[in-house]
């Protein structure tokens, strides 16, 4: 409904809570929360894994200490034997047995020791079960000789293995070369066979519980990749490792959790998950409910503010809102020096209908009235309900008080047809009081008060009418309205005639164009010139119908002139107001097509004011007109807003120098200079120049000498009816053409 949209605030009533959007938002929010939860659990998992590694390292360090301890305890035996033999290399069986008994105690893991002078095993202690080893020449046993050579090279205790023993089973073998005292002559090699299984067992290697442990060495069977203990697979994973230092070389111990992964499976964080989901749900619900309540609040606020500004029954702005708006309008028009009208409308007989048919019917009637009023006013006018059966209407952009009266008439006419309420046909009318800014008040309250007073005057003058507050405006409006109606009547009764005034070639006086000028055969006042009615027609808007009539007649007459052999152009006058109507140019072009006159023959005369900036809409229409083939001319050039810029920016092809300049140019030097300057300027812009109001031969000669192309004025001919013009200038005529 028009009149309800104000300052871009659309009063659509309650704004629905967007349910679908809310659900989507909640889902997204929950997803986000769950993402945070998952991220948290993942980092927990990483933290746990780090903890596990730390524990594993601690365990391995303990294990390492124990293994190294046990190994060293065992190696005391071989070290002692080496020292003894270096001092006294002669080995008697009895001495060896005694020495061996001394060093081989029960808590060691040594199975036996063997002496191999010159690399041939000659003594083994204890001998029982190891007899087969006696007499073994290492040089004949490639498997063992490699480690003998390595021990010789290292010249220290070298532990190799686990190796397959000649006497069966597996064991580690520690070997050390022995050199004779104070010489580097090799005596032989001592070997100590160590039962690694029991050593590792004592060190606790097989009781690692939750850990999977592996060990490999750099020597013998333990060379990288060959496991001494555990599987190779563990090394391909990501174990923590510690070294075990040997007299020569190292072993490495590795450990991982028994599951072979440091990270506990995500599923094992079930408590975290449950808690996380609960938290995410809570957060989602909380935020969502906050959001919904915020939306509800906003909706409530907008409803309240709507209710505060609009009338609940009609949906129109209420008194308070309208008054605010009116104050803004007053400020705006004070700055812009514009007029507007305020109309106070009171329904006649509403009270009786309300009393007899009931309040519901009364409400229905008010709604219907509001709709009709809104439909009757222009789109940018504002209608408000002031309560009861009172309405006010703001009529903007008032060019004449008569506009307000015409608007009031329209509203009253709209209320005239009977309404049907509660099954009854009821007739209702209204009375309108009009106050005009600034004539009737400089403030919103004064204007309202005066419009109200005028409304009472209208009521007492006889219902169904409008009344101006201001006496002179009332009078002005009355005369304008009278003229307006007479013009309308004159149009239907064919009282208007178009006269034509020749425009002749400045060089030879031959007829080039005619200007169409309207005349009114007024039933009481006789022949009227445009000066008597055009201004009012422009203000009331009836100029549009007049303009169309002149164009139609002009086309028809022009065709007759052409048929009579007059090769002329037709000049038509147009008022700025005619360019306010979007459809107008279209209608003119259609008229030309219907009347079968080429647009190129037509020149439209405009006033300079139309070309002023800030009139984009009109400018577009000018361009449309030009594109339609019609030429544009600037009438009364030099009297108004003369600017070279607009002449350049618009597709203008002709200027007409105002007759007032021509009239005095020969007596007044400054006028002469002005006309000369205008002609020069137009020539520089490549425009055709017409001089108007040429009344004497001197003027005609001077203007022709200055370079004017066409001349128009009483000296050549006065405006005359088409028939007369044809008679004077047509081929049939023989009269002189000056
Ligand atoms: P305008 O367009 O400047 O028209 C020229 C006016 O000067 C005409 O007056 C014409 O009769 C008058 N005139 C011509 N030669 C001489 C001369 O030598 N000496 C003197 N003193 N006057 C001369 P008219 O016909 O009374 O028209 C007055 C104005 O009314 C026109 O001025 C034009 O602005 C407007 N008008 C006339 N017909 C129409 C129309 O159909 N539509 C519109 N919108 N305006 C029109
Ligand atoms: Ca003109
Ligand atoms: Ca003129």
């Amino acid at each position: 409904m028009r009149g309800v949209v104000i300052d871009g605030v659309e009063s659509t009533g309650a704004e629905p809570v967007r349910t679908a959007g809310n659900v989507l938002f909640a889902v997204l929010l929950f997803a986000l929360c769950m993402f945070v939860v998952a991220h948290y659990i993942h980092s927990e998992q990483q933290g746990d894994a780090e903890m596990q590694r730390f524990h594993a390292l601690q365990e391995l360090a303990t294990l390492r200490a124990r293994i190294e301890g046990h190994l060293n305890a065992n190696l005391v035996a071989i070290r002692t034997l080496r020292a003894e033999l270096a001092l006294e290399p002669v080995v008697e069986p009895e001495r060896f047995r005694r020495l061996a008994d001394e060093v081989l105690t029960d808590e060691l893991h040594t199975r036996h020791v063997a002496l191999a002078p010159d690399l041939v095993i000659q003594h083994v202690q204890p001998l029982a079960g190891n007899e087969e080893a006696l007499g073994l020449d290492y040089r004949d046993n490639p498997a063992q000789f490699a480690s003998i050579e390595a021990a010789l090279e290292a010249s220290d205790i070298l532990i190799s293995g686990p190796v397959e023993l000649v006497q069966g089973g597996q064991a580690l073998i520690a070997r050390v070369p022995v050199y004779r005292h104070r010489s580097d002559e090799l005596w032989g090699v001592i070997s100590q066979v160590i039962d690694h299984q029991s050593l590792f067992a004592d060190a606790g290697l097989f009781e690692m519980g939750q850990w999977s442990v592996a060990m490999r060495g750099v020597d013998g069977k333990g060379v990288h990749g060959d496991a001494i203990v555990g599987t190779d697979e563990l090394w391909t994973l990501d174990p923590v490792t510690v070294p075990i230092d040997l007299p020569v070389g190292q072993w490495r111990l590795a450990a991982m959790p028994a599951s072979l992964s440091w990270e506990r499976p995500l599923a094992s964080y079930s408590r975290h998950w449950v808690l996380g989901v609960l938290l995410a749900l809570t957060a989602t619900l909380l935020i969502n409910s906050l959001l919904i309540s915020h939306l509800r609040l906003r909706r409530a606020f907008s409803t309240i503010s709507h209710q505060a500004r609009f009338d609940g029954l009609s949906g129109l702005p209420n008194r308070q809102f309208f008054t605010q708006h009116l104050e803004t309008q007053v400020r705006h028009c004070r700055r812009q020096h514009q007029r507007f009208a305020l109309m106070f409308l009171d329904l006649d007989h509403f009270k009786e209908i309300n009393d007899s048919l009931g309040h519901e019917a009364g409400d229905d009637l008010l709604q219907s009235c509001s709709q009709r009023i809104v439909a009757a006013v222009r789109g940018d006018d504002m209608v408000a309900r002031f309560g009861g059966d009172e309405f006010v209407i703001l009529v903007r952009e008032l060019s004449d008080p008569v506009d307000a009266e015409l608007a009031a008439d329209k509203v009253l006419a709209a209320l005239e047809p009977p309404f049907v309420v509660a099954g009854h046909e009821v007739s209702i009318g209204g009375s309108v009081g009009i106050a005009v800014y600034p004539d009737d008040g400089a403030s919103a309250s004064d204007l309202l008060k005066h419009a109200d007073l005028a409304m009472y005057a209208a009521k007492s003058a006889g219902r169904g009418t409008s009344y101006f507050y201001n006496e002179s405006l009332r009078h002005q409006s009355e005369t304008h309205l009278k003229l307006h109606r007479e013009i309308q009547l004159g149009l239907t009764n064919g009282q208007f005639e178009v006269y034509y005034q020749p425009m002749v070639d400045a060089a030879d006086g031959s007829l080039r164009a005619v200007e169409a000028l309207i005349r009114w055969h007024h039933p009481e006042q006789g022949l009227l010139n445009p000066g008597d009615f055009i201004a009012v027609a422009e203000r009331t808007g009836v100029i549009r119908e007049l303009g169309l009539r002149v164009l139609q007649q002009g086309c028809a007459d022009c065709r007759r002139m052409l048929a009579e052999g007059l090769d002329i152009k037709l000049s038509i006058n147009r008022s700025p107001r005619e360019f306010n109507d979007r459809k107008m140019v279209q209608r003119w072009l259609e008229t030309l097509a219907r009347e079968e006159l080429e647009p190129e023959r037509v020149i439209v005369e405009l006033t300079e004011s139309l070309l002023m900036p800030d009139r984009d809409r009109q400018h577009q229409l000018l361009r449309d007109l030009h594109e339609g083939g019609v030429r544009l001319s600037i009438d009364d050039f030099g009297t108004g807003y003369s600017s070279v810029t607009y002449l350049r920016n618009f597709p203008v092809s002709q200027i007409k120098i105002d007759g007032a300049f021509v009239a005095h140019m020969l007596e007044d030097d400054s006028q002469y200079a002005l006309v000369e300057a205008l002609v020069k300027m137009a020539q520089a812009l490549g425009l055709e120049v017409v001089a108007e109001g040429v009344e004497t031969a001197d003027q005609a000669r001077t203007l022709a000498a200055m370079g004017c192309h066409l001349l128009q004025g009483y000296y050549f001919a006065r405006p005359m009816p088409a028939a007369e013009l044809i008679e004077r200038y047509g081929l049939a005529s023989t009269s002189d053409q000056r």
Side-chain angles (χ1 to χ4, degrees), residues 576-640:
R577 181 140 184 190
E578 291 175 82
F579 289 87
N580 286 349
D581 188 337
R582 265 169 221 276
K583 301 251 168 63
M584 225 29 177
V585 165
Q586 201 50 42
R587 288 178 70 184
W588 296 338
L589 292 174
E590 279 164 16
T591 306
L592 290 181
R594 207 176 326 110
E595 301 288 333
E596 292 177 0
L597 191 68
E598 314 139 79
E600 289 72 20
R601 279 219 178 261
V602 178
I603 300 172
V604 166
E605 297 189 8
L606 316 160
T607 53
E608 291 167 299
S609 63
L610 199 60
L611 301 183
M612 282 168 62
D614 302 334
R615 308 189 69 166
D616 294 342
R617 212 176 60 199
Q618 284 100 326
H619 293 172
Q620 187 50 49
L621 291 181
L622 287 181
R623 293 198 175 90
D624 292 349
L625 195 56
H626 180 254
E627 266 159 36
V630 173
R631 295 203 295 150
L632 304 181
S633 171
I634 309 299
D635 207 352
D636 305 337
F637 191 73
T639 58

Side-chain angles (χ1 to χ4, degrees), residues 515 573 605 635-637 656-659 692:
E515 176 175 5
N573 291 286
E605 297 189 8
D635 207 352
D636 305 337
F637 191 73
K656 298 186 78 174
I657 296 175
D658 194 57
E692 290 184 307

Side-chain angles (χ1 to χ4, degrees), residues 177-395:
V178 181
Y179 295 90
R180 289 174 198 277
H181 188 54
R182 290 188 219 278
S183 85
D184 50 6
E185 189 194 336
L186 181 71
W187 170 83
V189 171
I190 310 172
S191 301
Q192 182 176 8
V193 176
I194 300 168
D195 180 357
H196 59 288
Q197 292 294 349
S198 65
L199 187 145
F200 291 156
D202 277 0
L205 181 59
F206 303 120
E207 288 153 24
M208 291 295 282
Q210 54 163 323
W211 306 109
S212 209
V213 182
M215 186 162 76
R216 66 184 182 187
V218 291
D219 185 59
K221 231 187 140 188
V223 170
H224 292 298
D226 286 350
I228 301 171
V229 171
T231 58
D232 286 339
E233 190 202 356
L234 192 71
W235 296 94
T236 65
L237 300 171
D238 177 29
V240 289
T241 64
V242 295
I244 291 181
D245 287 323
L246 306 177
V248 175
Q250 277 184 344
W251 290 332
R252 277 200 102 72
L253 255 179
M256 279 194 79
S259 65
L260 297 188
S261 164
W262 292 107
E263 286 156 7
R264 282 161 58 198
L266 277 178
S268 67
Y269 291 85
S270 55
R271 272 220 328 261
H272 289 72
W273 281 115
V274 170
L275 210 71
V277 169
L278 283 178
L279 269 173
L281 270 176
T282 316
T284 306
L285 287 176
L286 204 73
I287 294 176
N288 217 39
S289 70
L290 277 177
L291 191 86
I292 287 176
S293 59
H294 169 77
L295 282 179
R296 289 225 175 91
L297 207 65
R298 229 177 56 180
R299 197 176 56 173
F301 271 126
S302 81
T303 311
I304 289 168
S305 84
H306 184 264
Q307 279 168 356
R309 293 180 301 158
F310 292 87
D311 166 48
L313 181 65
S314 62
L316 295 175
N318 61 18
R319 177 193 290 267
Q320 197 196 352
F321 185 33
F322 181 86
T323 311
Q324 278 173 10
H325 196 75
L326 186 61
E327 280 159 6
T328 317
Q329 174 76 8
V330 166
R331 280 196 297 276
H332 172 79
C333 288
R334 188 175 300 142
R335 274 198 306 274
Q336 305 286 322
H337 304 290
Q338 280 174 0
R339 262 181 168 180
F340 68 87
L342 186 68
M343 308 202 303
F344 215 104
L345 166 72
D346 189 277
L347 299 181
D348 298 332
H349 315 298
F350 176 74
K351 217 172 140 25
E352 293 103 272
I353 294 167
N354 202 33
D355 289 347
S356 61
L357 295 180
H359 288 281
E360 237 169 83
D363 285 355
D364 279 358
L365 185 59
L366 282 174
Q367 277 173 343
S368 309
C369 284
S370 315
Q371 281 162 15
R372 286 200 197 172
I373 297 168
V374 167
V377 301
R378 290 179 308 186
D380 51 356
D381 292 343
M382 186 180 186
V383 182
R385 180 167 171 239
F386 261 36
D389 57 351
E390 288 176 347
F391 296 87
V392 286
I393 303 163
L394 178 69
V395 182

Side-chain angles (χ1 to χ4, degrees), residues 498-499 501 515-519 529-531 533-534 538 543 546-547 550-551 572-576 578 605 607 635-636 656 658-659 692-696 699 712-719:
V498 183
Y499 275 29
Q501 187 178 28
E515 176 175 5
L517 296 160
I518 195 162
R519 294 291 180 268
N529 280 330
F533 58 91
I534 283 282
E538 281 176 346
I543 187 73
L546 271 182
V550 170
L551 184 65
I572 298 276
N573 291 286
R574 282 302 90 140
S575 304
E578 291 175 82
E605 297 189 8
T607 53
D635 207 352
D636 305 337
K656 298 186 78 174
D658 194 57
E692 290 184 307
V694 183
E695 294 187 348
T696 67
Q699 287 170 346
Q712 176 183 359
Y714 294 169
Y715 173 66
F716 299 100
R718 288 181 174 261

